[in-house]
C-alpha cells in the first residue's frame, strides 16, 4: 500500500488472539502519523449497530462499490491502530461523506469541552454574584456555532437566512433583516425612513421625531446623527412608558415619526400611539430591543410588540431576551421598507441579491441608473449612502439555537418577575412597584423600582446595599438623556432638540429609579435573596 491515500477508505482490520484471527471494517480518518498509526472509526452492520452516535453508510456515500451489508459508522468508537493492522481494502467513501464525519467529530469534541467548562452549575449561596442578566445556553448553541465555523463562511450565510425566516415566522411579520447589533437595528430603521424613494413621506433634515428621554441613547442617536430633531415627551409611572396624553402637545408641522422603546419589556400604549400616528400620517418605529416576546392586545388580537408599528427592532446582545453575542434585527411587513433597510445595511447598494449570489433581479446588466452608463452592473449601483452592518453566520447560528428555546425564556422571565412582584408587594409604601400596561402581556427585561420620597432610604443607599451583597443593579439607562454630556453643546446653543413639556417624571426616574434582573438563568433562591435584601433596607434602622 505504499504511496496510497488512506483517508476516507474503509479497510478490513485484522484482530485476534490465541491463534484465532478476525476481521472487521473501519473507516480511516486520515493518513498515518510519524509512527505509522491511523485513526479509525469502527463499522458494524445495522443488525449489530449497538448504541451511541453513528452515521448510516448508504450506497450514496460510497465512491464506488460499497459494503456487502447495510452498515453504520460509529462516531463514538474511534481507535488509533498501526498500519500493520490493515488486512485489505473494502471500500471508499466520498469526500463529502468524510467531511460530514469529521464535522460531526469536531462538534462532539466541542460538546465534551462544554460539559467540562460550562455545563456544571453550582447552587446559589448568599454572597455569590447575582447578575442583572446573562446568557443562557447549552449544547445546541455550541453545536450550531461549531458547525457554522467549519463552513468558514465568514459573513452572512445559511444560518442568517434561516434565522431571518424563523424570527419573522415567530413574530408573524413578512420580513426580517439581521444586523450586527440592536443599535445598528435602530440606525437602519430610522435611516430607511430618510430614503428619497419614499417621496413626500421621507424624513428630511430638520424634521421632528417624537421620542422619550427616559431610555437608552441609541433610540435617539440616529435622529440626531442624521440631522433630524428629537422631541422629548415625558413618561408615566408605574409603566415607565411614554405619556400618550402629551403626544398632541408635541406635534408640529415638521413632525414625521414617533420612535420610542417598550421600557424593560413593558409595552407602551400601542393602541393610542398607533392611532396618533395614523391620524397624523406619521411613521412609527418600535424599539423592541428590551421587549422581544412581549404581546399587546391590538384591535382584539394579541400581537407581538415590534409588529404593530411600521418597523420594529431587536437586540441580541448577551443580556437581552436571547443572544448571538452581538447582533440585532429589523422587521417589517412592508417590502419597500425591507429593501431600504437592507440597502442601508449593505453599503447603500441598490441590488438586493443575497451575499454570494448574483442576478436575483434577472436584469443585472440591463438597467439605467442615474448618470451611469446603460447596463452598468447592478451589484455596484448605490442608491443610498449606507454602511456595512451585516451579521456573521456564526452569530446567526447561535441565534438559531437560541430561538428554539425562546418561548421558554419568555415564560421564565414572566415567572421571575411575578415572583419578585409578589414578594415585594408589602413594600409598596417605600417603592413605586412596576405594573404592566393595560392590554399588555410583557416579556420582562427587568424589575423596576422607584424609591418613594417618604422612604427611610434613598435610591443610592439601597443600590449600594444591594451591590455590597452581590446583587447587580442598573439605572433605567440614561435616566434623563438631555442632561448627559452628549447634549452639552446642543443645550448651550438651544438647538438640535426640543422638549415638549417639563420632563418631571423623567427626572424622578433619573433621581430615584433602578432595576434588578429577571433573566432565565435566575433561580428561586436568587430571587428570594433579592427580596430578602430589599426587605432588609425597609426595616427600621434599630432592627437591622
Amino acid at each position: 500500500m505504499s504511496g496510497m491515500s488512506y483517508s476516507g477508505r474503509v479497510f478490513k482490520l485484522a484482530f485476534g488472539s490465541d491463534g484465532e484471527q478476525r476481521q472487521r471494517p473501519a473507516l480511516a480518518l486520515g493518513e498515518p502519523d510519524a509512527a505509522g498509526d491511523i485513526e479509525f472509526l469502527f463499522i458494524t452492520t445495522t443488525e449489530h449497530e449497538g448504541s451511541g452516535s453513528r452515521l448510516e453508510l448508504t450506497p450514496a456515500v460510497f465512491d464506488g462499490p460499497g459494503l456487502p451489508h447495510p452498515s453504520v459508522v460509529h462516531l463514538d468508537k474511534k481507535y488509533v491502530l498501526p498500519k500493520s493492522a490493515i488486512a485489505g481494502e473494502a471500500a471508499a467513501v466520498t469526500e463529502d461523506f468524510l467531511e460530514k464525519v469529521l464535522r460531526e467529530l469536531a462538534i462532539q469534541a466541542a460538546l465534551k469541552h462544554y460539559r467540562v467548562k460550562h455545563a456544571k452549575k453550582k447552587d446559589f449561596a448568599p454572597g455569590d454574584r447575582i447578575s442583572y442578566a446573562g446568557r443562557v445556553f447549552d449544547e445546541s448553541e455550541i453545536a450550531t456555532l461549531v458547525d457554522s465555523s467549519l463552513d468558514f463562511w465568514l459573513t452572512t450565510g445559511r444560518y442568517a437566512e434561516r434565522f431571518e425566516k424563523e424570527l419573522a415566522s415567530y413574530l408573524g411579520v413578512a420580513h426580517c433583516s439581521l444586523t450586527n447589533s440592536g443599535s445598528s437595528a435602530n440606525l437602519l430603521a430610522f435611516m430607511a425612513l430618510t430614503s428619497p424613494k419614499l417621496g413626500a413621506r421621507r424624513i428630511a433634515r430638520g424634521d421632528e421625531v417624537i421620542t422619550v428621554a427616559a431610555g437608552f441613547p441609541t433610540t435617539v442617536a440616529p435622529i440626531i446623527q442624521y440631522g433630524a430633531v428629537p422631541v422629548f415627551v415625558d413618561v408615566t409611572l408605574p409603566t415607565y412608558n411614554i405619556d400618550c396624553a402629551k403626544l398632541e402637545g408635541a406635534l408640529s408641522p415638521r413632525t414625521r415619526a414617533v420612535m420610542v422603546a417598550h421600557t424593560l419589556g413593558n409595552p407602551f400604549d400601542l393602541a393610542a400611539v398607533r392611532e396618533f400616528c395614523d391620524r397624523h400620517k406619521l411613521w412609527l418605529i418600535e424599539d423592541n430591543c428590551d421587549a422581544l416576546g412581549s404581546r399587546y392586545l391590538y384591535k382584539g388580537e394579541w400581537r407581538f410588540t415590534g409588529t404593530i408599528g411600521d418597523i420594529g427592532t431587536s437586540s441580541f446582545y448577551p443580556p437581552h431576551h436571547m443572544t448571538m453575542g452581538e447582533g440585532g434585527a429589523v422587521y417589517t411587513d412592508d417590502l419597500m421598507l425591507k429593501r431600504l433597510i437592507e440597502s442601508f445595511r449593505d453599503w447603500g447598494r441598490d441590488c438586493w441579491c443575497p451575499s454570494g449570489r448574483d442576478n436575483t433581479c434577472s436584469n443585472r446588466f440591463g438597467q439605467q441608473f442615474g448618470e451611469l452608463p446603460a447596463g452598468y452592473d447592478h451589484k455596484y449601483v448605490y442608491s443610498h449612502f449606507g454602511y456595512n452592518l451585516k451579521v456573521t453566520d456564526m452569530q446567526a447560528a447561535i441565534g438559531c439555537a437560541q430561538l428554539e428555546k425562546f418561548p421558554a425564556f419568555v415564560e421564565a422571565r414572566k415567572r421571575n418577575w411575578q415572583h419578585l412582584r409578589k414578594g415585594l408587594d408589602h413594600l409598596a409604601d417605600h417603592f413605586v412597584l412596576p405594573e404592566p400596561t393595560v392590554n399588555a402581556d410583557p416579556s420582562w427585561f427587568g424589575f423596576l423600582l422607584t424609591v418613594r420620597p417618604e422612604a427611610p432610604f434613598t435610591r443610592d443607599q439601597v443600590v449600594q446595599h444591594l451591590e455590597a451583597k452581590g446583587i447587580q443593579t442598573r439605572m433605567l439607562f440614561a435616566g434623563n438623556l438631555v442632561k448627559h454630556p452628549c447634549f452639552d453643546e446642543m443645550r448651550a446653543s438651544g438647538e438640535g432638540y426640543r422638549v415638549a413639556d417639563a420632563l418631571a417624571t423623567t427626572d424622578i426616574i433619573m433621581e430615584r429609579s433602578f432595576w434588578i434582573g429577571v433573566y432565565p438563568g435566575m433561580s428561586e433562591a436568587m430571587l428570594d435573596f433579592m427580596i430578602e435584601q430589599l426587605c432588609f433596607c425597609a426595616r427600621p434602622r434599630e432592627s437591622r
Side-chain angles (χ1 to χ4, degrees):
M1 298 183 183
S2 176
M4 72 168 290
S5 173
Y6 292 78
S7 179
R9 294 180 181 273
V10 178
F11 294 102
K12 290 179 278 189
L13 303 183
F15 294 88
S17 58
D18 303 326
E20 181 181 350
Q21 194 148 65
R22 293 166 296 161
Q23 292 185 357
R24 65 181 300 175
L27 174 65
L29 297 177
E31 303 304 317
D33 63 17
D37 293 333
I38 303 172
E39 282 189 320
F40 291 98
L41 291 178
F42 277 1
I43 295 170
T44 64
T45 64
T46 53
E47 292 180 356
H48 304 91
E49 63 183 36
S51 61
S53 180
R54 66 187 79 86
L55 291 174
E56 187 176 356
L57 290 164
T58 64
V61 309
F62 289 103
D63 189 7
L67 296 174
H69 304 289
S71 303
V72 293
V73 57
H74 293 267
L75 301 176
D76 56 347
K77 296 186 182 297
K78 183 163 63 171
Y79 298 88
V80 177
L81 297 170
K83 191 166 56 173
S84 60
I86 295 175
E89 186 174 353
V93 299
T94 64
E95 185 175 312
D96 285 348
F97 183 75
L98 178 62
E99 189 275 334
K100 182 178 181 181
V101 169
L102 294 172
R103 180 180 291 259
E104 290 297 322
L105 291 173
I107 292 171
Q108 287 190 8
L111 296 184
K112 290 177 183 177
H113 175 272
Y114 164 83
R115 291 165 197 143
V116 172
K117 173 67 176 176
H118 299 292
K120 297 173 184 175
K121 310 291 184 186
K122 72 170 187 172
D123 292 336
F124 169 75
D128 292 344
R129 185 71 164 156
I130 302 177
S131 299
Y132 79 94
R135 61 220 168 117
V136 177
F137 67 102
D138 60 22
E139 293 186 3
S140 57
E141 283 84 355
I142 300 295
T144 55
L145 175 60
V146 173
D147 183 48
S148 173
S149 71
L150 293 173
D151 291 342
F152 212 68
W153 184 260
L154 301 180
T155 184
T156 296
R158 63 185 176 102
Y159 275 110
E161 290 183 16
R162 173 183 155 189
F163 183 88
E164 288 174 336
K165 290 176 183 176
E166 291 180 356
L167 182 60
S169 175
Y170 174 85
L171 293 173
V173 294
H175 311 292
C176 172
S177 306
L178 267 174
T179 184
N180 61 358
S181 72
S183 300
S184 293
N186 281 345
L187 174 64
L188 293 171
F190 179 79
M191 290 302 295
L193 302 182
T194 71
S195 172
K197 295 193 175 188
L198 295 175
R201 289 206 68 194
R202 71 176 292 199
I203 298 173
R205 289 174 178 83
D207 283 343
E208 294 185 347
V209 180
I210 296 172
T211 187
V212 300
F216 202 74
T218 55
T219 311
V220 177
I223 303 168
I224 294 171
Q225 290 162 349
Y226 173 70
V229 177
V231 177
F232 293 106
V233 173
D234 207 3
V235 297
T236 62
L237 297 178
T239 66
Y240 297 86
N241 277 309
I242 189 168
D243 186 346
C244 296
K246 305 289 180 65
L247 287 170
E248 291 290 343
L251 190 69
S252 85
R254 296 302 302 267
T255 306
R256 295 290 179 271
V258 174
M259 184 171 181
V260 67
H262 301 288
T263 304
L264 289 195
N266 196 18
F268 56 78
D269 186 344
L270 272 159
V273 176
R274 178 81 259 189
E275 188 278 332
F276 171 78
C277 290
D278 289 344
R279 183 156 36 89
H280 296 290
K281 297 182 172 54
L282 307 177
W283 298 106
L284 174 56
I285 299 175
E286 292 180 67
D287 180 339
N288 201 39
C289 291
D290 291 345
L292 187 62
S294 294
R295 300 188 306 159
Y296 185 86
L297 187 62
Y298 184 69
K299 295 184 177 180
E301 178 187 3
W302 283 104
R303 290 176 59 178
F304 284 110
T305 54
T307 70
I308 295 170
D310 297 288
I311 305 175
T313 63
S314 282
S315 171
F316 306 124
Y317 192 63
H320 283 265
H321 286 65
M322 56 168 283
T323 187
M324 295 180 180
E326 300 285 355
V330 192
Y331 27 95
T332 182
D333 279 321
D334 189 309
L335 179 60
M336 168 67 85
L337 292 180
K338 182 253 191 187
R339 287 184 172 167
L340 295 176
I341 289 161
E342 293 184 356
S343 174
F344 279 101
R345 183 193 66 182
D346 302 352
W347 307 284
R349 64 181 187 158
D350 196 79
C351 173
W352 56 82
C353 291
S355 183
R357 298 181 203 167
D358 294 343
N359 210 22
T360 302
C361 64
S362 302
N363 198 18
R364 180 179 169 189
F365 298 105
Q367 302 177 73
Q368 172 72 57
F369 298 96
E371 297 183 6
L372 291 169
Y376 196 82
D377 188 349
H378 190 214
K379 285 186 72 70
Y380 291 95
V381 173
Y382 300 95
S383 52
H384 303 99
F385 292 104
Y387 317 92
N388 179 6
L389 301 176
K390 296 191 298 300
V391 74
T392 70
D393 220 40
M394 289 176 281
Q395 292 168 265
I398 298 170
C400 287
Q402 288 269 292
L403 195 53
E404 293 177 1
K405 301 179 174 70
F406 187 67
F409 288 170
V410 172
E411 291 308 309
R413 287 180 176 276
K414 293 179 182 180
R415 185 169 58 249
N416 292 345
W417 189 92
Q418 287 291 351
H419 190 95
L420 290 175
R421 187 63 177 76
K422 182 178 179 181
L424 297 173
D425 189 62
H426 66 289
L427 298 183
D429 289 344
H430 298 317
F431 295 105
V432 177
L433 298 173
E435 295 287 350
T437 300
V438 175
N439 293 327
D441 177 24
S443 172
W444 296 99
F445 187 50
F447 192 91
L448 263 163
L449 292 160
T450 297
V451 178
R452 293 187 183 276
E454 59 273 18
F457 48 77
T458 65
R459 190 264 308 276
D460 292 347
Q461 287 171 334
V462 70
V463 163
Q464 287 168 14
H465 174 79
L466 294 176
E467 293 282 351
K469 293 295 182 179
I471 299 168
Q472 198 172 34
T473 64
R474 287 292 183 266
M475 302 297 104
L476 185 53
F477 308 125
N480 184 342
L481 183 59
V482 301
K483 297 193 175 183
H484 284 252
C486 56
F487 272 78
D488 283 353
E489 291 184 12
M490 287 186 287
R491 194 163 51 245
S493 68
E495 299 178 348
Y497 72 101
R498 184 163 67 86
V499 176
D501 61 89
L503 301 180
T505 305
T506 299
D507 284 340
I508 289 171
I509 289 168
M510 177 182 65
E511 294 164 357
R512 295 197 266 118
S513 298
F514 70 98
W515 58 278
I516 53 179
V518 296
Y519 83 104
M522 286 185 164
S523 66
E524 190 169 306
M526 293 176 181
L527 297 168
D528 286 339
F529 185 72
M530 291 193 290
I531 293 169
E532 176 187 317
Q533 294 308 311
L534 284 163
C535 290
F536 176 85
C537 292
R539 293 179 197 164
R541 288 190 178 275
E542 59 272 15
S543 67
R544 293 184 186 177

